[in-house]
Amino acid sequence: MKLLAFVLSALVFGQLDPKLIPGQKTDKTVKFVYDFPKNEFKNFYSGQEAVIRINMTNTGINTKTVIGLTGKFTKHDTPDVIANISTYPVTKTVKPGKTVALKYKFTPYLEAGQYGLAVLVDFYDLEETGYKQVGAWDAITVSFADSYYDLQSISIYILAALAAYGVFKIFTAPAEGAPLKQKKKAAKPVAQPKVDSDEPQMEWIPDHVIEQTKASPKPRKKKQ
């Protein structure tokens, strides 16, 4: 049942609307795209460090300077904050028309279940106007490391098994156009004619001797 809930959570819960997060001051010329490196199913173990990567693109005419990232754990489908994550200081400049990658590390000290992860980006422009904008808000699943295997690990094991089976079939299949080997039939034993031990065997006697024997008169019996 736990594994079934685990799979359903990965399929049902997706990206959430960042506009629902309160306390923002947004810049329409800034766009964010994010992902979870090496964790496409967004499943995390409680107490283990993880990372989210946020790409920030500046479509405006003024340079933007990032000064910090702040994380929050929310309910999986609402902006209600369950726990705050400490601010991660960072200094990066995003010139007009450019994109920079921002990595934010977090550790979910949470009970097993479904949550939301929100990351807010603090930055300012050349006019020193400050902004706080949601760079990512997505549903995640938290589990205990010793409870059951996560879906990502199971997928890796299945793919590895299929790959191994494919390699086995390639090396064991006959080459295209190669004649199939036929099993050699065992030779049947030749039946030998029965030989009567009371009759003389004539095969080894020359033919002219046999003819002379047939032509010679039979001995007459003496009268008693």
Side-chain angles (χ1 to χ4, degrees):
M1 294 299 292
K2 288 183 177 180
L3 181 58
L4 179 60
F6 192 75
V7 174
L8 291 176
S9 66
L11 298 175
V12 174
F13 303 118
Q15 295 184 3
L16 306 175
D17 187 0
K19 295 178 182 179
L20 298 177
I21 299 293
Q24 295 188 74
K25 184 177 181 180
T26 62
D27 184 345
K28 294 182 180 180
T29 64
V30 173
K31 306 298 179 183
F32 294 100
V33 178
Y34 63 90
D35 67 338
F36 296 89
K38 300 180 181 180
N39 196 335
E40 59 182 312
F41 293 106
K42 298 171 286 187
N43 299 303
F44 305 95
Y45 289 132
S46 180
Q48 293 189 8
E49 187 179 73
V51 63
I52 180 173
R53 177 173 52 201
I54 303 171
N55 291 329
M56 177 179 176
T57 300
N58 182 4
T59 65
I61 59 175
N62 295 324
T63 299
K64 316 293 182 183
T65 302
V66 180
I67 57 175
L69 304 173
T70 303
K72 300 175 182 292
F73 290 117
T74 69
K75 293 184 178 180
H76 67 268
D77 57 355
T78 71
D80 298 337
V81 177
I82 296 175
N84 291 309
I85 312 174
S86 60
T87 300
Y88 182 74
V90 60
T91 302
K92 281 200 174 185
T93 300
V94 189
K95 295 182 179 180
K98 300 296 181 179
T99 299
V100 298
L102 309 171
K103 289 186 178 181
Y104 182 73
K105 294 180 180 181
F106 63 95
T107 303
Y109 292 104
L110 301 168
E111 294 294 325
Q114 283 76 45
Y115 301 92
L117 171 67
V119 180
L120 289 86
V121 182
D122 293 291
F123 61 95
Y124 63 88
D125 56 19
L126 290 177
E127 298 176 355
E128 296 187 356
T129 302
Y131 299 91
K132 181 184 288 290
Q133 191 165 334
V134 174
W137 186 30
D138 208 339
I140 64 172
T141 299
V142 177
S143 62
F144 294 111
D146 57 351
S147 59
Y148 55 92
Y149 288 108
D150 60 86
L151 185 60
Q152 185 177 9
S153 298
I154 294 174
S155 301
I156 292 173
Y157 296 147
I158 293 175
L159 291 175
L162 291 176
Y165 178 75
V167 172
F168 172 77
K169 294 295 290 184
I170 290 174
F171 282 100
T172 55
E176 186 176 355
L180 296 176
K181 293 183 179 180
Q182 296 182 353
K183 294 182 179 180
K184 294 183 178 180
K185 295 182 179 180
K188 295 182 179 180
V190 180
Q192 299 293 334
K194 294 183 179 180
V195 178
D196 191 350
S197 59
D198 295 336
E199 296 182 0
Q201 303 300 311
M202 308 298 287
E203 286 82 0
W204 62 275
I205 302 175
D207 294 339
H208 68 278
V209 176
I210 296 174
E211 294 298 329
Q212 290 178 3
T213 304
K214 291 180 179 179
S216 60
K218 295 182 180 179
R220 295 179 179 178
K221 294 182 179 181
K222 292 182 181 182
K223 294 183 179 181
Q224 298 275 328

